[in-house]
Amino acid sequence: MVEKKYSAENIQVLEGLEAVRKRPAMYIGDVGTRGLHHLIWEVVDNSIDEALAGYCSEIYVRILPGNKIHVKDNGRGIPTDLHPKEKKSALEVVMTLLHAGGKFDKETYKVSGGLHGVGVSCVNALSSRLEVEVHREGKIYQQAYQKGIPQEPVKVIGETQEQGTQITFTPDASIFGELKYQYDTIAARLRELSFLNAGLKITIEDQSESESEEHKDIFYHEEGLLAFIKYLRATRVSLLTQPIYLESTTGEVPIQIVLDYDSGFSEQVVSYVNNISTVEGGTHVSGFRRGLTRTFKTYAEKSGLLAKTKVEITGDDFREGLTAVISIKVAEPQFEGQTKTKLGNSEIMGLVETNLSKHLQLYLEENPKNAKQIISKVILAAQARYAARKARELIQRKSVLVGSGLPGKLADCSEKDAARSEIYLVEGDSAGGTAKQARNRKFQAILPLRGKILNVEKAQEYKVYGNDAIQTILTALGVSMGTEEDSKALNISKLRYHRIIIMTDADVDGSHIRTLILTLFFRYMREIVEAGYLYIALPPLYLLRKGRTERYAWDETQRQQFIKEMSTGNNPSVGIQRYKGLGEMNPQQLWTTTMDPQNRSVKQVHIENAMEAAHLFTILMGEEVLPRKE
């Protein structure tokens, strides 16, 4: 082996925004769809920070043709005067230098989401072109950039009576693999921000050329978090007359919490720090849970409501059927990573716990009827959890006695290496028969599922463990639940497949079944989702034929597009076959479009996707089957 020289010449120093372009995932999480949308969040967060400071009342977001994004606010506008140290316009400093911004100066922003000073400069670095326009002090200032490099000095292009900042950017195609912005994803985030900032008006409009008609939504909520929890619980019946609302300021940390209970069995706690969604929780969520458990347990013991209960009450029992929104504002939050998904400030736990306990104790004393309803539900949850543990233990004992027999309908593969094996969870026997003929027996297994599986979002835990269909899935996968009362963790060390693919019909019913299966994995087999082993197969909905030419369409838009492209020449007619189910496809068609690893259409399920499925209350909590977009 020839030893390579390693000297000072090998040490690279990246200047300006080169580091961002070299390692973009370090700054925005990834370069896929999530990272693409993260560019919008970085720009919008700056406008939100202006709103938090009391200077911005309106934000306007537009999706423009050519994958452009335009964000406009009526805040103070980025300063444009000469920076004393850099000897150039402060606007150019903010847009082109990392760790430059007003968030480090606590006199300018008491609280903010962007703390590292890399937000808008990151967007600039990862855009093929960005234009910024500042309305400030009666003038309109403008500067343009390409891949973060200024194309001209900051210049005055006119006069104005308005104030604010406008940023228009086009993501760099050489950085991002996917350039299609999702209107629903952007609208969902902006809706959240309008709930979190009472009185702030946020408008989103889709003017992209790919849309047949323009979309536009205006979000404005005077009630703030109270409106948010009503939105989250639109299809659920509350146990309380009104949601419990807490708003307090301890020191310089404003805390807002709203919570409600229903007769369901799932917990939904969403949390935010300075309007940033902390999907992984953090110290504020830990403080909330501790305060909730301690206060309810103390009240229940003092009031004698637990006297006849022989089952031990745990923290999980107090959160069954709970929906809560936590929003705090911290002057100097300590996030884990630039994408800010988990709060680490240790002092926040005690502040949230103390404030919640004080407010909740007063509420329980003033509302004994509501308090009794909540405690009664907690006792029922504890009893159901005890029954679930017994059911798990019974299942484990049965599996030991019976052995490792696999489900009768499972068509297993010959490959024994889990990393090279995959299993398809298929809707119905008909589709299962086609899939068995289409598969590669060496590494593809097929498990047909009859009808809709149990809706775990509505069922008590012991019913989930005792359900035959769910047990069939667990047995086929080779996984087992913990049997200890304090352990619900899934043991995936013996998982038989590292690609678990949900394959349902491309229609509304198939979408519903897929959602139910996703919810099962998210609630009870989350370790599989976190490991990246869960996938969704995307079979086509149409087959178009003209002569010897065949094209598959996955949705109505594609169908229309292909018809237009194929309807040429002397014979404009195009034959169209709609697949009502996977069973209507012949094995070769199913293999080509959906099961061939070299050419199939599947997507990996991330925690956010599974979480979204678990929160589709209009489908899961009601009996109506509704269509949903992919």
Side-chain angles (χ1 to χ4, degrees), residues 149-206:
I149 301 172
Q151 300 302 293
E152 56 191 1
V154 176
K155 61 183 181 180
V156 177
I157 62 170
E159 297 182 352
T160 180
Q161 298 299 315
E162 299 178 353
Q163 64 177 22
T165 303
Q166 300 181 35
I167 292 178
T168 306
F169 66 90
T170 306
D172 191 344
S174 66
I175 299 288
F176 296 94
E178 173 62 56
L179 289 178
K180 174 66 175 175
Y181 280 105
Q182 303 295 330
Y183 181 88
D184 291 343
T185 300
I186 302 170
R189 173 60 180 153
L190 298 183
R191 184 186 292 109
E192 278 185 355
L193 290 172
S194 70
F195 284 129
L196 295 166
N197 298 273
L200 176 63
K201 179 181 177 182
I202 305 179
T203 304
I204 175 174
E205 188 170 1
D206 188 348

Side-chain angles (χ1 to χ4, degrees), residues 457-481:
E457 198 79 2
K458 294 174 64 178
Q460 288 186 306
E461 198 175 339
Y462 72 92
K463 291 184 179 180
V464 174
Y465 294 122
N467 182 266
D468 290 339
I470 293 174
Q471 276 308 305
T472 298
I473 294 174
L474 288 171
T475 305
L477 298 181
V479 297
S480 59
M481 296 286 186

Side-chain angles (χ1 to χ4, degrees), residues 44 46-60 72-77 163-165 197-202:
V44 170
N46 285 349
S47 300
I48 292 293
D49 290 338
E50 280 290 286
L52 289 175
Y55 297 102
C56 174
S57 60
E58 292 187 18
I59 301 173
Y60 184 40
K72 175 183 178 182
D73 67 49
N74 64 345
R76 289 171 290 184
Q163 64 177 22
T165 303
N197 298 273
L200 176 63
K201 179 181 177 182
I202 305 179

Side-chain angles (χ1 to χ4, degrees), residues 310-473:
K310 297 181 180 180
V311 181
E312 183 183 354
I313 308 294
T314 69
D316 287 346
D317 301 324
F318 288 101
R319 299 194 297 272
E320 190 170 283
L322 168 71
T323 301
V325 182
I326 307 166
S327 177
I328 67 172
K329 305 292 193 300
V330 184
E332 295 187 13
Q334 299 165 13
F335 291 108
E336 294 188 3
Q338 163 62 10
T339 49
K340 315 186 226 0
T341 57
K342 189 174 182 179
L343 183 68
N345 298 60
S346 57
E347 74 279 5
I348 298 300
M349 182 186 296
L351 289 176
V352 174
E353 181 181 356
T354 302
N355 277 275
L356 178 63
S357 296
K358 181 179 178 182
H359 184 88
L360 199 54
Q361 184 178 353
L362 184 63
Y363 175 87
L364 295 174
E365 291 173 354
E366 293 178 351
N367 299 271
K369 183 179 178 181
N370 286 345
K372 186 176 181 180
Q373 280 188 303
I374 294 173
I375 302 303
S376 298
K377 177 172 176 54
V378 169
I379 294 172
L380 183 63
Q383 292 170 340
R385 177 178 48 79
Y386 178 77
R389 180 172 67 87
K390 292 298 183 184
R392 289 200 304 271
E393 289 175 348
L394 179 62
I395 290 166
Q396 296 300 317
R397 284 198 297 270
K398 278 184 178 179
S399 64
V400 171
L401 293 172
V402 174
S404 58
L406 296 173
K409 288 193 174 184
L410 173 67
D412 205 4
C413 57
S414 59
E415 178 63 64
K416 300 305 179 185
D417 184 356
R420 299 180 179 179
S421 304
E422 59 190 38
I423 184 172
Y424 284 82
L425 306 181
V426 185
E427 173 189 350
D429 291 338
S430 175
T434 304
K436 288 176 184 178
Q437 296 178 61
R439 70 179 176 135
N440 184 322
R441 295 172 182 268
K442 177 173 173 55
F443 63 92
Q444 291 179 323
I446 308 296
L447 180 63
L449 302 174
R450 178 181 293 180
K452 295 179 174 67
I453 70 165
L454 179 70
N455 185 349
V456 300
E457 198 79 2
K458 294 174 64 178
Q460 288 186 306
E461 198 175 339
Y462 72 92
K463 291 184 179 180
V464 174
Y465 294 122
N467 182 266
D468 290 339
I470 293 174
Q471 276 308 305
T472 298
I473 294 174

Side-chain angles (χ1 to χ4, degrees), residues 283-324:
T283 52
H284 56 321
V285 177
S286 299
F288 168 80
R289 287 176 172 164
R290 284 175 52 174
L292 187 82
T293 301
R294 188 184 73 181
T295 307
F296 272 128
K297 198 166 187 177
T298 301
Y299 177 84
E301 289 171 348
K302 286 184 178 179
S303 61
L305 295 174
L306 298 181
K308 297 181 180 180
T309 304
K310 297 181 180 180
V311 181
E312 183 183 354
I313 308 294
T314 69
D316 287 346
D317 301 324
F318 288 101
R319 299 194 297 272
E320 190 170 283
L322 168 71
T323 301

Side-chain angles (χ1 to χ4, degrees), residues 42 65 108 114 141 222 227 282 347 373 392 415 440 452 499 520 567:
E42 290 287 5
T108 305
Y141 300 86
E222 284 287 356
E347 74 279 5
Q373 280 188 303
R392 289 200 304 271
E415 178 63 64
N440 184 322
K452 295 179 174 67
R499 283 182 299 279
L520 168 66
S567 298

Side-chain angles (χ1 to χ4, degrees), residues 232-251:
L232 292 175
R233 307 172 53 77
T235 60
R236 296 191 178 191
V237 179
S238 175
L239 292 180
L240 312 179
T241 51
Q242 285 290 332
I244 303 172
Y245 180 72
L246 156 68
E247 182 173 3
S248 68
T249 302
T250 301

